[in-house]
Amino acid sequence: MVKVYKPGKVAIVLRGRQAGKKVVVIKQLDEGTKDRPYPHAIVAGIERYPLKVTRRMGQKKLARRSKVKPFIKVINYSHMFPTRYALELEGLKGSVASDTFKEPTQREDAKKTIKKMLEDRYTSGKNKWFFQPLRF
């Protein structure tokens, strides 16, 4: 079978609380693990997208509207839909691992680093499609 989900690949979540949200694959586990015997991926996504900004807005308002709320999750391959897009974030690979989900403090630290990287990416103007919610 062709490996669709590689690190950096953008996908859309189909099931659960984050259904319809965009995620980027950090680590893929095609064979699964002992506690999760199905193919799955560790992903980071955007729970709350940044709001629209205009040229007239001041720096303070622009900074407030450019915030991103991230989430990290382990998702089954059958609950994700791959897209043609890819996101190159080198720092994400080291920030989240399989043992990150065992302790809440590690999870919070990983979310903070992901938030910083995504906000930097958004303010630089790269990957605009990733930072817009899906239209239904």
Side-chain angles (χ1 to χ4, degrees), residues 34-52:
K34 195 169 187 174
D35 53 331
R36 293 178 195 265
Y38 49 87
H40 59 279
I42 297 172
V43 297
I46 300 177
E47 193 168 327
R48 193 181 316 123
Y49 292 95
L51 298 170
K52 185 179 179 182

Side-chain angles (χ1 to χ4, degrees), residues 9-115:
K9 185 74 163 176
V10 176
I12 297 171
V13 180
L14 301 175
R15 298 270 173 115
R17 192 166 105 195
Q18 276 88 20
K21 306 287 185 191
K22 295 173 192 160
V23 294
V24 60
V25 175
I26 296 172
K27 185 177 181 185
Q28 89 277 10
L29 298 150
D30 294 324
E31 282 78 45
T33 59
K34 195 169 187 174
D35 53 331
R36 293 178 195 265
Y38 49 87
H40 59 279
I42 297 172
V43 297
I46 300 177
E47 193 168 327
R48 193 181 316 123
Y49 292 95
L51 298 170
K52 185 179 179 182
V53 294
T54 60
R55 199 177 296 171
R56 301 181 68 176
M57 293 180 186
Q59 291 295 324
K60 190 175 178 184
K61 191 169 189 177
L62 196 133
R64 199 176 328 121
R65 293 175 74 91
S66 297
K67 289 196 174 171
V68 172
K69 184 179 181 186
F71 68 90
I72 53 173
K73 199 170 179 140
V74 178
I75 300 181
N76 192 333
Y77 279 178
S78 62
H79 298 164
M80 290 193 307
F81 184 78
T83 63
R84 64 182 177 175
Y85 297 101
L87 205 70
E88 48 195 65
L89 293 172
E90 296 82 27
L92 283 181
K93 294 173 188 167
S95 62
V96 181
S98 300
D99 60 321
T100 307
F101 297 96
K102 291 185 172 74
E103 198 170 323
T105 55
Q106 288 181 335
R107 193 180 186 112
E108 292 301 317
D109 292 339
K111 276 190 203 175
K112 285 178 186 173
T113 57
I114 289 168
K115 178 179 175 138

